[in-house]
Amino acid sequence: MKKLLLLLFLLCLQSSFAQSPMPKFQGGDLQNFYDFINTNFDRSKSINNEEIKCSFTLDSVGKMKEIKLISFKEKDAAFELLRVLKSADNWDVSNQDIKYKIIIESNIFIVKGDKIRGTTKTKWFKRNDDVTEEQNTKVIEEKAYEINTVEVKPEYKGGLSKFYQFIAKNFRTPFTYDGFKGRVLVSFVIEKDGSLTEIKVLKDAGYNTAAEAIRVLSKSPKWSPAIQRGIPVRCYYVLPIVLVSNE
């Protein structure tokens, strides 16, 4: 009897850890997934050989969600991979048990002069209440982080000096006399897609400089967003603008 019980226990244990079939991408296996990345990835965004570790989940219809960048060296290459993953087709999850949440972790290798390759690990977890999970995610996404608390700070393409050049080029000086000097202090939120929102003037220099600062910042090209725990997050930013009239 003891042997029989032990055998039944081992069989149950083996069954519980049995590997589920992999979801399919574009009708095929993981190679199709790597080929999709290879076709759509802009190689100009990767200067050196790069390994990017990322993860994502698949919902009940195979849509990729909770896409995260876990580790990387080059920010431009990492954001380009993020863009490609967000554009991917839905996976075929018809062979999956809908009771389980699918988490896929991939190491993507970008090597100069060679095809993009990867290694992937898939995990299955019993689903919790999906509604509660989505609500919790939404609350996290709405938070704007302070710039000193994020792992990767937001950045304007070319750096802050380029951003000041953009402001100088577009700012319409409303000054009525030569030699005017003033300082405008602004704050804004850099969204996960790099756009600027919640633009506010904390201190202006008069002469309609507050309205002009808001107008110019509203036209700003997108930034590279802040990164926290491998995913883009909203970030609060404060910027001084020094105004000098040479007219």
Side-chain angles (χ1 to χ4, degrees):
M1 177 62 72
K2 287 184 179 180
K3 288 183 178 180
L4 179 59
L5 289 174
L6 179 60
L7 179 60
L8 289 172
F9 173 75
L10 291 173
L11 287 173
C12 290
L13 186 64
Q14 183 179 7
S15 176
S16 65
F17 283 94
Q19 186 176 9
S20 299
M22 276 292 298
K24 296 180 180 180
F25 186 79
Q26 294 183 343
D29 58 14
L30 284 170
Q31 188 57 51
N32 282 19
F33 178 55
Y34 303 139
D35 288 345
F36 168 81
I37 296 174
N38 188 69
T39 300
N40 293 276
F41 189 93
D42 181 357
R43 289 296 189 119
S44 68
K45 302 295 185 181
S46 178
I47 301 174
N48 303 305
N49 294 340
E50 175 77 7
E51 177 184 353
I52 304 173
K53 186 174 182 180
C54 61
S55 70
F56 53 88
T57 62
L58 300 179
D59 67 10
S60 58
V61 296
K63 184 176 177 61
M64 293 171 61
K65 292 189 172 181
E66 301 177 59
I67 303 173
K68 298 179 181 179
L69 300 172
I70 299 173
S71 63
F72 55 88
K73 294 178 182 177
E74 295 181 359
K75 184 189 292 187
D76 287 347
F79 283 127
E80 175 60 12
L81 177 62
L82 186 64
R83 181 193 67 79
V84 172
L85 294 179
K86 287 182 176 180
S87 71
D89 299 333
N90 287 2
W91 293 59
D92 180 1
V93 292
S94 59
N95 61 351
Q96 302 295 303
D97 186 340
I98 62 172
K99 295 179 182 177
Y100 290 87
K101 181 177 182 177
I102 306 167
I103 302 177
I104 295 179
E105 296 178 353
S106 290
N107 284 8
I108 304 299
F109 302 97
I110 304 166
V111 180
K112 279 191 170 183
D114 198 1
K115 289 181 65 175
I116 293 177
R117 307 179 188 279
T119 59
T120 293
K121 181 191 297 183
T122 306
K123 301 176 182 178
W124 290 263
F125 291 94
K126 197 159 188 177
R127 292 183 184 274
N128 295 322
D129 185 349
D130 288 338
V131 175
T132 303
E133 183 177 337
E134 288 177 2
Q135 289 174 345
N136 289 340
T137 302
K138 186 176 180 181
V139 171
I140 293 172
E141 289 178 349
E142 288 176 351
K143 175 182 177 181
Y145 287 79
E146 296 290 338
I147 193 167
N148 292 327
T149 65
V150 293
E151 295 166 357
V152 179
K153 291 179 171 56
E155 185 178 22
Y156 186 78
K157 186 175 182 180
L160 196 56
S161 62
K162 285 287 185 181
F163 187 56
Y164 276 122
Q165 289 177 22
F166 162 79
I167 294 173
K169 182 179 179 180
N170 291 276
F171 203 100
R172 298 171 185 165
T173 55
F175 314 130
T176 57
Y177 60 91
D178 296 345
F180 176 90
K181 293 183 180 180
R183 184 172 181 268
V184 178
L185 188 64
V186 297
S187 69
F188 48 86
V189 171
I190 301 168
E191 296 289 344
K192 294 181 291 182
D193 67 353
S195 60
L196 304 189
T197 63
E198 300 184 28
I199 301 169
K200 299 177 182 178
V201 174
L202 306 179
K203 182 180 179 181
D204 69 57
Y207 298 97
N208 205 38
T209 52
E212 183 62 10
I214 292 173
R215 185 192 69 82
V216 172
L217 293 179
S218 298
K219 295 174 57 179
S220 170
K222 291 185 177 181
W223 292 47
S224 294
I227 298 292
Q228 187 73 3
R229 297 175 183 170
I231 60 174
V233 293
R234 304 173 77 232
C235 185
Y236 181 73
Y237 204 98
V238 177
L239 183 77
I241 302 173
V242 177
L243 305 173
V244 178
S245 174
N246 294 321
E247 297 179 0

